[in-house]
Each structure stands twice: as C-alpha cells, then as structure tokens.
Amino acid sequence: MAEYKPIRKVVSGNYAAAYAVKHARVEVVAAYPITPQTSIIEKIAEFLANGEIEGLEYVPVESEHSAMAACIGASATGARAFTATSAQGLALMHEMLHWASGARLPIVMVDVNRAMAPPWSVWDDQTDSLSQRDTGWMQFYAENNQEVYDGVLMAFKIAETVNLPAMVVESAFILSHTYDVVEMIPQELVDEFLPPRKPLYTLTDFDNPIAVGALGGPNDYYEFRYKIQKAMEKAEKVIHEVGKEFGERFGRDYSQMIELYRTEDADFVFMGMGSLMGTVKQAVDILREEGYKVGAAKVRWFRPFPKKELYELAKSVEGIAVLDRNFSFGQEGILFNEAKGALYNTDAKPLIKNYIVGLGGRDFTVNDVRKIAENMKAIIDKGELDVEVDWYHLKR
Amino acid sequence: MNTLFGERKEGATKIVLKSVDEYPEAPITLGTTLVNFTGDWRTFIPVIDDDKCVKCYICWKFCPEPAIFIREDGYVGVDYDYCKGCGICANECPTNAITMEKEEK
Ligand code: SF4
Ligand code: SF4
C-alpha cells in the first residue's frame, strides 16, 4: 500500500463532490442543472473538457426525471453512475428513485439540500431529501466540505457492497458555495479503497440474458421488499466497516453512524444532521466553559437509521434536543419523529424535545444553541416538557 | 424449437419460488423467456390459416413474446407456452390469416 499524503485543496462543497466523482472513476454522469447543485456537474464537465477524466460518459438530459432514468440504465449495464440535484429537481426524480432501489442499483447522488417552494427559495432546508425517506435510498448527511468528498467515496463503496443506491446530502450555499480546505486522496489510494464495481447483474452479459423491470404479482412482490430491508440491515454493518477502513487508511474515522461529540458525561445532548452540527459543536465547547454539561450527537446516516447507537446514547443522557431543519406537516420534525419512534419500545426514556430551526436557510447561530440549552436545562430540572415541538425562530 | 431469438431450453418451465431464499437478490428474470413460460394469462388464442398466409412475417416481428416461430415449410406457427393472447399478430396480419378464438381449457 502506498503511503498516504493528502492533497490539500481549497474548494466549495460542490467542487469537493466533483473531485470525489472524478477520483471514484465514475463512468456515467447524468447532468441537469438546478441551483445550488449546478456547479457540481459544471465542474465535472470542466474536468472532462480539460482531459482530466477518462472513460466518462457525460449525458446531458432534459429533466431530473430523465437524469435518474439515465443513471438507472447505465447502472443496469454495470457502470458506476452519478448525478446531482436539489429540491424540486429531487422531487421530480421521486418516481425514478424507487426504480433505482427496487432494481438494486448502487447509484450515488449528491443532493444539495434546498427548501421546497413555494415560496420560492434556494436556501438550506432538509425537507427535500427527507421527503425521499421511503424510496429505499441510503442517506448520508455531510457536516462540511471534507465530509462531502469523503461521503461520496464511501457511498460508492457501501452502495456497491449492498446493492442499494445512496444519497450524499450537503447544505445549500452553507457548504455548496463556501470554500474550505479539503484533504483529497491520491488517485492510486482511492483506487485501492474503491476497486471497480462488481455488479449483481448486467444487461450486457449476452451469454446470460436477463429481463429487468418485469411484473411481480402478489405472489412475488413481497419477497423483494423484504430483500431491500435485509440489504439496509446489512448496510449498517458495511457502513461501520467501510467507515473504520476509511479512518485507518485516511485518518478520518466514520465507523459511527452517529458521531458523538463530548457526550461522555453530558446531561443532555443536541442531535441533528448536516452543516448545522458544526455550529452546535462550536456551541458545545463554549457552553461547556459556561458550565453546561452538554454534548452533540450528529446523525450521519439517516437511512439506514442508527437505532442501536441512538439507544446507547439515550440510555446515558437525561435529555435530547432534536434540531430539525425540516418539517413533516401535520406531525413534527422528521428526525425527532424517527428518534422518538425508535426509542418507544426500549427502556431508554430521556426527555426528548423538538426544535424546528433554520428552515429555508434562516440563520442558526451559537447563540441560538445557547438559548436552546437554557430551555433544555429548565425542562430537565422540572422533569417535564413545556411544548413537544418548538418553532424556535418564530416571530411572535 | 427455434424461436429465432435462440434455442428454447430443454425443460423450460414456469418458475415458482417457494421460499424467500430462492429469490434472486434483484427482481430480474434469469434467462428471459427462453426458460420461463409466459403463456398462462390468455383468454383468446391466435389460429393461423396457412391458405391466407403470404409469409411476410409481420406477425413474427410484432409479437411481443417469443410465441411466433417460423416453421420448416416457411409458414408461421404459434408456441402456446408463450402466447399471451394479446391479438397483436391478428391485428397486424395484412391478409387476415390470423383469427383470435376463445380458448377452451
Ligand atoms: S402476418 Fe399474416 S401473412 Fe404475414 S406471416 Fe404472419 S400470418 Fe402470414
Ligand atoms: S396473440 Fe400476442 S402473444 Fe400470441 S402470438 Fe399473437 S402477438 Fe404473439
């Protein structure tokens, strides 16, 4: 194994994604522009135009629905396929997302989290990706540009091991257009980490012809759904292994599906996903100095859902403040809903409260975390919730 | 039997899977219709009148299943293990050599 010397580049989150696509030796990219995703596929096109990528089929399509259809076709021939999208574009793909996972194709997509319209918005909000919860796609939420790059590389490896597609999710503008140092991995080491794909089946094996997309009647459909669930369960194990291997090779450990930050002796923790957790970690350091015993629990993988890790965490704390930059109308924040549901039949019963924060790109700062900490401390002292779902930023 | 798509495999049959472990990982059909029968849905079957047939093979071209085959004498036949009774062949035949008749089972 060659020695690992990282290549440091100052790039946006979107360029980090494009570099990862290049390093993963993706064979087919379906490209359709949508803000704030566009610079991912633009950068890939630039690599291609400059001769920096070889063996890539770049397919400009006429909609996001077609983009996913092109990826499905490409992936079914055995190729490594990628696309990127945001918000309404992802919603337009929704039908095809089911086809990708149902056909067990390990496509990787970057979704740049953006609020759903109306009102028209291009800012950060997780409701677009979380609305795809039940499509059978794995979902990884990146906190920073480094995690976008690492996430794409790991997503291909995990997806191709369990034969399910994976979405790597980054925040609109906060990551997609903000430049930061990213440590990239030399090509030969990426090649060792991510060897060529071994497809489950291929349309181009003419000696062993297959039919795909055939009818599955009531007598057969059910079993195939069960197999997807089994693959998701297997994915949990594979995520741990691949995340650990990534850490051993490249120094950044992703073996935990929930990254715990200063939680060992914490009375309560802030739980959330994506870039807002960077703010939370910074706030935790400050709050610790101010005497709060708090920690952060960053949910990296939302699907498969890290039930076991959540249970272990919940046993050790008195309260969990779930920060949702998303909302399921008629109910509550989506991560909160999942977390509460996962703990119901267990003996771990911390006070768990939902804070709706940062919708549509509203600023979420260290000071906001402090206010939430004050509120959490008060309800824990009292031993009961004030409200279950707190529209924290609401102008009252 | 030569279906012109390939040799029909010895022992071709309709596959019935009994336990979840027998299912392939992905919902694909192995070997396509060369090994799996498709002709168990139909109500009507095509019946071909050789006297009207002009050997244009339009029916062979349009049949969505490998059900129409070309006989040694050049006329066409129907492999009822595959024919799903859609009637496309009868509709497309330029000489009305094919009629759809209710199948008696
Ligand atoms: S389409 Fe009609 S005429 Fe042509 S080959 Fe078939 S049966 Fe014969
Ligand atoms: S009825 Fe349909 S399936 Fe049967 S031979 Fe005609 S075209 Fe083919």
Side-chain angles (χ1 to χ4, degrees):
Chain A
M1 208 197 320
E3 200 201 332
Y4 172 50
K5 280 203 208 77
I7 303 155
R8 290 192 179 82
K9 282 190 200 295
V10 179
V11 289
S12 66
N14 279 356
Y15 283 6
Y19 273 99
V21 167
K22 177 183 163 188
H23 292 159
R25 296 194 189 277
V26 171
E27 293 159 294
V28 177
V29 168
Y32 190 80
I34 182 168
T35 303
Q37 170 282 120
T38 311
S39 56
I40 298 178
I41 52 154
E42 277 177 356
K43 189 70 181 170
I44 296 169
E46 189 186 307
F47 287 145
L48 198 60
N50 294 344
E52 290 178 59
I53 298 189
E54 274 169 27
L56 171 69
E57 193 78 37
Y58 189 89
V59 192
V61 288
E62 79 286 5
S63 78
E64 286 88 351
H65 191 273
S66 310
M68 191 42 61
C71 286
I72 289 168
S75 191
T77 68
R80 188 169 281 165
F82 175 88
T83 192
T85 192
S86 291
Q88 316 298 125
L90 182 62
L92 183 56
M93 263 183 205
H94 173 77
E95 186 237 357
M96 281 286 144
L97 298 188
H98 284 280
W99 278 96
S101 60
R104 306 297 300 276
L105 299 169
I107 298 159
V108 170
M109 163 163 67
V110 168
D111 175 57
V112 183
N113 263 159
R114 166 187 146 185
M116 297 299 296
W120 203 244
S121 169
V122 292
W123 292 274
D124 187 21
D125 188 302
Q126 298 164 337
T127 309
D128 63 342
S129 54
L130 290 171
S131 297
Q132 310 308 324
R133 186 188 66 173
D134 304 330
T135 55
W137 280 61
M138 297 183 281
Q139 292 196 358
F140 174 88
Y141 285 78
E143 179 195 324
N144 49 42
N145 295 358
Q146 183 70 59
E147 291 193 357
V148 174
Y149 176 82
D150 296 346
V152 170
L153 295 181
M154 284 189 290
F156 272 114
K157 184 153 173 150
I158 294 158
E160 290 172 12
T161 307
V162 300
N163 293 295
L164 282 178
M167 204 181 283
V168 174
V169 185
E170 58 161 311
S171 311
F173 300 106
I174 296 169
L175 300 188
S176 69
H177 286 63
T178 306
Y179 282 66
D180 199 356
V181 178
V182 172
E183 288 196 352
M184 298 190 189
I185 302 165
Q187 185 65 58
E188 63 273 22
L189 292 185
V190 178
D191 292 344
E192 277 177 20
F193 173 73
L194 184 65
R197 176 181 163 205
K198 288 198 194 74
L200 194 56
Y201 60 88
T202 125
L203 282 177
T204 45
D205 179 0
F206 300 117
D207 294 330
N208 297 294
I210 52 165
V212 300
L215 185 78
N219 207 25
D220 293 315
Y221 183 86
Y222 192 97
E223 277 67 25
F224 287 116
R225 297 295 106 173
Y226 178 79
K227 292 220 172 224
I228 295 176
Q229 172 55 15
K230 283 286 138 191
M232 277 285 182
E233 287 166 20
K234 184 180 167 193
E236 275 193 49
K237 202 169 144 272
V238 175
I239 285 166
H240 286 290
E241 286 164 6
V242 170
K244 186 160 174 278
E245 183 191 345
F246 199 93
E248 282 163 4
R249 283 180 187 251
F250 312 122
R252 290 180 296 278
D253 185 287
Y254 289 90
S255 59
Q256 300 307 308
M257 297 169 81
I258 302 179
E259 182 193 330
L260 301 177
Y261 184 75
R262 304 187 75 170
T263 57
E264 307 80 39
D265 61 337
D267 293 336
F268 63 93
V269 295
F270 307 98
M271 193 165 91
M273 303 193 292
S275 63
L276 67 85
M277 293 310 286
T279 307
V280 169
K281 283 184 194 166
Q282 194 193 349
V284 163
D285 289 343
I286 295 167
L287 289 168
R288 284 257 172 192
E289 278 172 29
E290 294 173 6
Y292 287 94
K293 279 166 78 179
V294 289
K298 181 177 80 186
V299 176
R300 285 189 177 125
W301 290 91
F302 178 75
R303 279 291 180 276
F305 193 72
K307 262 187 172 179
K308 290 187 212 94
E309 290 178 30
L310 175 65
Y311 170 68
E312 289 304 322
L313 170 70
K315 273 197 304 189
S316 73
V317 294
E318 289 174 58
I320 302 179
V322 181
L323 312 173
D324 269 308
R325 190 167 221 154
N326 60 74
F327 199 75
S328 175
F329 300 108
Q331 182 63 329
E332 53 206 5
I334 298 168
L335 180 61
F336 177 66
N337 184 251
E338 296 275 333
K340 213 170 44 151
L343 294 175
Y344 185 81
N345 277 330
T346 71
D347 54 6
K349 295 270 185 284
L351 276 178
I352 175 164
K353 179 171 167 178
N354 193 191
Y355 298 87
I356 307 304
V357 299
L359 297 186
R362 183 156 301 181
D363 213 4
F364 180 70
T365 65
V366 168
N367 209 29
D368 294 319
V369 186
R370 178 184 288 111
K371 284 190 197 149
I372 289 170
E374 285 164 10
N375 179 245
M376 275 304 284
K377 189 164 182 332
I379 61 174
I380 287 171
D381 288 347
K382 206 165 169 235
E384 65 182 75
L385 293 178
D386 43 6
V387 288
E388 192 178 35
V389 182
D390 191 340
W391 283 72
Y392 168 79
H393 298 289
L394 203 66
K395 296 171 186 165
R396 291 173 215 266
Chain B
M1 186 185 299
N2 190 347
T3 64
L4 293 193
F5 289 99
E7 207 63 39
R8 178 167 150 184
K9 296 261 164 63
E10 206 52 48
T13 178
K14 184 175 160 57
I15 295 173
V16 180
L17 298 166
K18 292 209 183 68
S19 97
V20 66
D21 299 329
E22 291 177 13
Y23 279 77
E25 197 60 18
I28 53 168
T29 317
L30 298 171
T32 70
T33 43
L34 294 179
V35 291
N36 307 317
F37 292 162
T38 51
D40 62 353
W41 315 354
R42 63 180 175 250
T43 314
F44 292 91
I45 52 168
V47 176
I48 298 172
D49 181 351
D50 286 354
D51 292 341
K52 289 190 188 165
C53 176
V54 294
K55 301 181 183 173
C56 68
Y57 306 139
I58 286 173
C59 55
W60 170 80
K61 201 188 241 173
F62 275 84
C63 174
E65 300 294 331
I68 303 252
F69 61 95
I70 297 167
R71 299 183 338 222
E72 283 188 353
D73 59 9
Y75 288 99
V76 292
V78 181
D79 184 341
Y80 292 113
D81 282 337
Y82 293 105
C83 170
K84 62 187 178 189
C86 65
I88 291 173
C89 54
N91 195 55
E92 297 298 333
C93 173
T95 64
N96 293 323
I98 306 177
T99 48
M100 299 302 289
E101 291 180 10
K102 186 119 194 228
E103 185 176 26
E104 307 289 344
K105 280 194 179 157

